[in-house]
């Protein structure tokens, strides 16, 4: 869930069309004309969206427009048309199958060229799905663009889809996913009200006015315009109230707690932060099919460093729910327990070194206070190796995330090797409770306020106190006003969260003394 309220007409994201069994073609002229019309409609739609993107005054609008224009050119490519027509006339295929075959051949040809064109080849899957849906009279697949503000309803959304959502999306409701899935995290990062695991929402007809409360998880279907206005008013009032809250984090008796921001790119930077506690670098490269060059990485990191001042960069955390196609990792039977996070270094040793090189160069260029940390660290040896490689490049402060119970149990040993720990409660809960963080039915098992997780957090904080080193929390629990005081009571020194969560956490801490935070944290531990 992601806090905030919104109301508006719902629009569902349609799944890619399933090709029906081939039909016998009685009228090849009509069939070829239907296929050509689908391609015309597709190209015209892409051109319209490119023009809209150009007209928008957003930072990334020009880049978006260029991509849409390139796609429009692909859809309008005369060779694609000729091939589609040949499949109808020479092979006797119906329009849908002719389009499917022509797009497949086109994709293979582009992929074979390598470089930028190969990267664009995967876009043809999306174009093919749209053209086939058009010719079959099915709803357009992919993120819809109805031309007005709307509440997006989807079975599920990939992190890449969520990153690319346009400004017309008022809120997000998905039938699947868990509260710490990356779709929910990205929605929170954008301050977009979101509710995940909402059973039956895909049955709501498009255009129904629905209200979304990202804090309570309530989705109200069939609102009147007056009711919708009331939802919007209450959201405006709440945002204005929270916007007035500023200043550093403190308990009621003045114990300081750093309130840091979690970001995925420079676009997520917000003023008023005490620093960035988690920069998820993989979000920059979610839809890439070729590795980003050194220069590209340096530029992306430097944009963040220049705007943030103090940043903890998490090195690439690829795998499971954050697939990075450019790595070309093979599918695995148990991806959450497989090669992900720091473990990618075992199979693709150059990727981490290249990233550390780029981070070090961007840090030097901007003069920012930059620290790095590795995700999914399990042993002290891994921690030592990571710290050595970071320091060898001049990055002085290196830490690790505690996301695996083994790491929490060895917090002292890890801290002997690194400068700080940052507890990733999303994965630490997933692995402690053996419950998939994306599972819509297991969110109760993932509740971070359970004694087992609190005990692990307490062990890390104690180890930090012994070593005189910082231990923070950067999982979603840090941004939950009911859980944040418990984490502070256990002894963590910083909380890093989506910027939208900072005001409520600041409020929650200011209402309790450190002693009260401690009592609340220790009560469930008995
Ligand atoms: C976590 O696991 O808590 C974390 C912060 O990392 P991510 O959510 O990106 O896996
Ligand atoms: Mg994690």
């Amino acid at each position: 869930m992601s806090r905030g309220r919104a109301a508006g007409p719902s629009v569902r994201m349609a799944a890619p069309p399933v090709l029906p069994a081939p039909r016998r073609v009685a009228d090849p002229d009509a069939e070829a004309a239907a296929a050509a019309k689908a391609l015309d409609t597709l190209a015209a739609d892409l051109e319209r969206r490119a023009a809209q993107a150009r007209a928008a005054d957003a930072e990334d609008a020009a880049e978006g427009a260029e991509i849409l224009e390139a796609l429009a050119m692909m859809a309008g490519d005369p060779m694609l048309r000729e091939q589609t027509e040949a499949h109808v006339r020479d092979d006797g295929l119906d329009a849908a199958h002719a389009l499917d075959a022509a797009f497949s051949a086109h994709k293979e040809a582009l992929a074979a060229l390598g470089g930028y064109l190969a990267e664009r080849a995967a876009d043809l899957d999306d174009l093919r799905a749209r053209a086939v849906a058009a010719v079959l009279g099915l709803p357009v697949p992919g993120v819809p663009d109805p031309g007005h503000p709307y509440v997006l309803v989807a079975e599920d959304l990939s992190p890449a889809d969520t990153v690319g959502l346009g400004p017309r999306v008022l809120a997000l409701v998905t039938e699947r996913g868990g509260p710490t899935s990356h779709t929910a995290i990205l929605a929170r990062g954008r301050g977009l009200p979101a509710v995940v695991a909402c059973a039956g929402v895909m049955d709501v007809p498009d255009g129904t006015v629905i209200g979304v409360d990202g804090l309570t998880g309530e989705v109200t279907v069939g609102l009147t315009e007056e009711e919708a206005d009331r939802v919007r008013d209450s959201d405006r009032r709440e945002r204005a109230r929270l916007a007035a809250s500023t200043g550093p984090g403190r308990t009621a008796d003045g114990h300081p707690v750093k309130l840091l921001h979690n970001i995925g790119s420079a676009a997520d930077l917000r003023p008023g932060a005490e620093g960035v506690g988690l920069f998820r670098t993989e979000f920059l490269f979610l839809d890439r099919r070729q590795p980003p060059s050194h220069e590209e990485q340096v530029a992306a990191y430097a944009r963040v460093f220049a705007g943030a001042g103090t940043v903890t960069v998490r090195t690439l955390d690829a795998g499971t729910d954050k697939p990075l196609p450019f790595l070309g990792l093979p599918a695995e039977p148990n991806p959450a327990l497989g090669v992900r996070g720091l473990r990618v270094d075992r199979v693709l040793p150059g990727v981490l070194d290249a990233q550390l090189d780029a981070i070090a160069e961007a840090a030097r260029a901007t003069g920012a206070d930059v620290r790095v940390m590795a995700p999914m660290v399990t042993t002290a040896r891994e921690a030592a190796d990571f710290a050595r490689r970071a320091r060898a490049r001049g990055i002085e402060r290196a830490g690790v995330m505690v996301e695996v119970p083994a790491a929490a149990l060895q917090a002292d040993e890890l801290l002997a090797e690194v400068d700080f720990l940052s507890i990733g409660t999303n994965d630490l809960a997933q692995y402690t409770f053996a419950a998939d963080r994306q599972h819509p039915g297991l969110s109760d098992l993932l509740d971070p306020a359970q004694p087992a997780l609190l005990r692990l957090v307490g062990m890390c904080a104690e180890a930090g106190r012994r070593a005189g080193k910082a231990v923070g929390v950067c999982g979603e629990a840090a941004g939950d006003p009911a859980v944040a005081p418990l984490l502070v009571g256990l002894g963590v020194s910083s909380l890093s969260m989506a910027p939208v969560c900072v005001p409520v956490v600041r409020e929650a801490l200011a209402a309790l003394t450190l002693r009260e935070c401690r009592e609340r944290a220790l009560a469930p531990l008995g």
Side-chain angles (χ1 to χ4, degrees):
M1 264 129 14
S2 171
R3 52 186 317 115
R5 296 185 197 98
S10 63
V11 181
R12 281 169 294 186
M13 176 163 137
V18 178
L19 271 180
R23 272 186 299 112
R24 208 184 58 76
V25 171
D27 181 351
D29 286 342
E31 211 64 31
K37 187 163 167 245
L39 289 173
D40 285 342
T41 309
L42 180 62
D45 180 53
L46 290 161
E47 275 161 16
R48 176 184 62 80
R49 285 167 51 201
Q52 275 174 351
R54 282 232 177 272
D57 193 19
E59 198 186 311
D60 52 0
E63 195 187 338
E66 264 168 40
I67 292 175
L68 288 164
E69 279 158 5
L71 293 176
M73 270 177 71
M74 282 181 178
D77 184 343
M79 213 146 84
L80 185 69
R81 265 147 214 271
E82 278 165 28
Q83 281 170 358
T84 308
E85 187 167 346
H87 283 306
V88 173
R89 297 194 191 283
D90 305 342
D91 307 332
L93 296 184
D94 59 64
H97 284 87
L99 284 165
D100 184 61
F103 271 108
S104 294
H106 224 59
K107 181 179 169 186
E108 269 173 38
L110 270 192
L113 292 173
Y116 175 78
L117 288 172
E119 190 170 323
R120 300 265 67 96
D123 293 335
L124 285 172
D125 286 335
D126 180 49
L127 295 187
R128 170 178 37 190
R130 285 168 182 262
V132 169
V135 88
L136 293 173
L138 296 172
V140 182
V143 175
D145 182 12
H148 57 75
Y150 67 105
V151 174
L152 176 61
V153 172
E155 174 85 29
D156 203 358
L157 267 186
S158 72
D161 281 338
T162 314
V163 166
L165 292 180
R168 292 204 180 94
V169 177
L170 300 169
L172 190 64
V173 186
T174 65
E175 210 161 285
R176 296 172 0 129
T180 61
S181 66
H182 283 90
T183 299
I185 288 172
L186 284 161
R188 212 168 281 134
R190 289 189 42 171
L192 200 61
V195 173
V196 296
C198 181
V201 71
M202 283 298 278
D203 298 333
V204 176
D206 286 355
T208 309
V209 177
I210 64 178
V212 181
D213 186 329
L215 183 61
T216 61
E218 213 176 339
V219 175
T220 329
V221 176
L223 297 185
T224 63
E225 257 323 299
E226 272 170 14
E227 288 167 330
D229 278 342
R230 275 203 291 279
V231 171
R232 293 178 198 122
D233 277 350
S234 76
D235 183 61
R236 264 193 295 273
R237 275 197 307 274
E238 176 71 355
R239 282 182 197 262
R241 188 181 74 76
L242 293 173
S245 137
T246 53
R250 297 202 183 292
T251 57
D253 53 334
H255 173 70
V257 182
K258 278 207 173 84
L259 302 181
L260 307 171
H261 286 181
N262 288 356
I263 63 162
S265 73
D268 297 339
L269 288 171
R270 296 287 176 277
E274 294 180 64
V276 168
L278 170 61
F279 170 20
R280 288 182 166 100
T281 51
E282 60 284 349
F283 287 175
L284 291 171
F285 307 118
L286 282 173
D287 58 354
R288 295 292 305 255
R289 286 170 182 92
Q290 296 291 310
S293 68
H294 173 74
E295 290 70 26
E296 216 177 322
Q297 288 200 60
V298 174
Y301 303 147
R303 266 198 297 277
V304 168
F305 298 171
T310 304
V311 192
T312 301
V313 189
R314 197 254 307 269
T315 53
L316 288 177
D317 184 21
T320 59
D321 61 337
K322 285 168 282 189
L324 287 183
F326 77 81
L327 291 176
L329 293 171
E332 295 185 35
N334 274 318
L337 301 181
V339 176
R340 57 161 298 195
L342 183 66
R343 300 170 184 185
V344 172
D345 189 54
R346 294 166 183 239
V347 294
L348 298 170
V351 176
L352 177 63
D353 285 331
Q355 188 180 20
L356 289 172
D357 284 339
I359 292 169
E361 187 171 329
R364 275 193 300 275
T366 55
D369 175 5
V370 174
R371 303 114 196 244
V372 287
M373 64 182 179
M376 283 296 289
V377 169
T378 313
T379 65
R381 202 168 154 166
E382 286 176 344
D385 178 59
F386 177 76
R388 181 186 52 73
R389 285 155 74 177
R391 289 174 190 143
R393 290 170 168 82
I395 306 170
E396 273 163 28
R397 299 197 58 196
V400 293
M401 292 188 71
V402 175
E403 304 186 278
V404 177
L409 294 166
Q410 291 222 296
D412 287 305
E413 286 82 351
L414 294 186
L415 279 172
E417 307 296 347
V418 297
D419 301 302
F420 63 92
L421 299 180
S422 183
I423 306 172
T425 45
N426 308 332
D427 276 312
L428 189 58
Q430 158 163 269
Y431 295 120
T432 302
F433 303 120
D436 183 345
R437 64 192 271 189
Q438 299 196 84
H439 199 299
L442 300 179
S443 54
D444 58 320
L445 282 181
L446 290 160
D447 179 356
Q450 295 177 84
L453 194 89
L454 294 180
R455 195 162 286 159
L456 292 173
V457 171
M459 289 172 72
C460 294
E462 275 297 299
R465 200 185 43 74
R466 279 191 290 275
K469 294 185 178 178
V471 174
V473 174
C474 65
E476 298 308 288
D480 180 336
V483 184
L486 311 184
L487 303 172
V488 169
L490 291 167
V492 306
S493 52
S494 66
L495 298 169
S496 193
M497 63 201 84
V500 71
C501 299
V502 169
V504 276
V505 170
R506 187 188 285 118
E507 250 180 16
L509 296 182
L512 297 167
T513 62
L514 181 59
R515 191 194 168 117
E516 286 166 335
C517 290
R518 250 188 225 131
E519 283 164 4
R520 287 191 185 200
L522 298 181
L525 300 184

